Amino acid sequence: MGLMKILKVNTAAATIEGAPQMVEKHISERTAEEKKKENLDNVAKDILYKTLDKNMFAKIKTCTIAKEIWEKLTQLCEGNDQTKENKLTIVIQKFDNAKMKPGETLAEFDERLSGIIIELISLGKDYSNREIALKVMRALPREWDAKTIAMRES
């Protein structure tokens, strides 16, 4: 069973200061809706398990509830504040140092730069379209100078 417990008022016990005492309902007393709610943790765990590869599953297999799995995955994927800051610094450097490689097509460069921008956005750093366009123009090789000048003037 998950974390959710279905409770009922304990009519056999006296109330303390006007508040009724609650006890867990026996499984035979539960309605279909209550059984469904109680099973939500299992459903959530099943969804999480199905999305993980073998390596990630090995890291969370000791977790017992969905919330614990989610927190462990968050820690593994995002890290703490210091880890996030380090990741952001590295990705900003990748963005700043991105240049079109010799023999690379514009489509390939665009795909590579888009990947870096997606990483930046996921870490909370966002660049305007103008900043990205200027970066692309600065990253192009010298043979593109005539085109970049024309783009800058327009």
Side-chain angles (χ1 to χ4, degrees):
M1 272 189 254
L3 283 180
M4 184 177 286
K5 294 187 186 316
I6 306 300
L7 303 176
K8 68 175 182 176
V9 175
N10 184 358
T11 53
T15 61
I16 304 168
E17 297 177 18
Q21 183 185 15
M22 302 300 282
V23 293
E24 191 170 352
K25 264 189 184 181
H26 187 270
I27 196 159
S28 63
E29 300 175 296
R30 296 180 188 148
T31 65
E33 185 65 27
E34 289 170 334
K35 288 177 185 177
K36 186 177 175 183
K37 283 182 182 177
E38 189 176 43
N39 193 43
L40 287 176
D41 188 67
N42 291 330
V43 171
K45 286 193 301 188
D46 185 55
I47 291 168
L48 290 167
Y49 290 154
K50 287 179 179 177
T51 61
L52 300 175
D53 63 18
K54 289 178 184 178
N55 293 332
M56 284 302 258
F57 180 77
K59 294 175 183 176
I60 58 94
K61 69 182 177 185
T62 58
C63 299
T64 55
I65 60 172
K67 185 176 187 323
E68 193 180 347
I69 294 169
W70 185 256
E71 288 170 351
K72 180 84 171 188
L73 288 172
T74 302
Q75 182 64 33
L76 288 169
C77 296
E78 293 182 8
N80 59 26
D81 290 339
Q82 183 63 43
T83 306
K84 288 179 191 176
E85 189 63 36
N86 291 341
K87 284 180 181 179
L88 181 59
T89 301
I90 290 167
V91 180
I92 288 173
Q93 287 175 346
K94 279 171 48 176
F95 178 78
D96 291 342
N97 296 328
K99 296 275 185 209
M100 192 169 173
K101 296 175 184 176
E104 186 176 36
T105 66
L106 192 55
E108 291 167 340
F109 173 67
D110 179 56
E111 186 176 330
R112 190 165 52 87
L113 191 63
S114 294
I116 295 170
I117 292 167
I118 289 168
E119 270 187 272
L120 286 165
I121 292 168
S122 72
L123 292 167
K125 178 74 172 159
D126 201 7
Y127 288 100
S128 69
N129 286 340
R130 185 179 193 288
E131 291 172 305
I132 293 169
L134 290 172
K135 173 61 190 165
V136 169
M137 287 187 271
R138 286 191 306 268
L140 295 173
R142 293 230 179 255
E143 34 307 339
W144 288 73
D145 280 352
K147 292 176 184 170
T148 57
I149 290 169
M151 284 189 279
R152 283 183 188 178
E153 288 177 359
S154 67

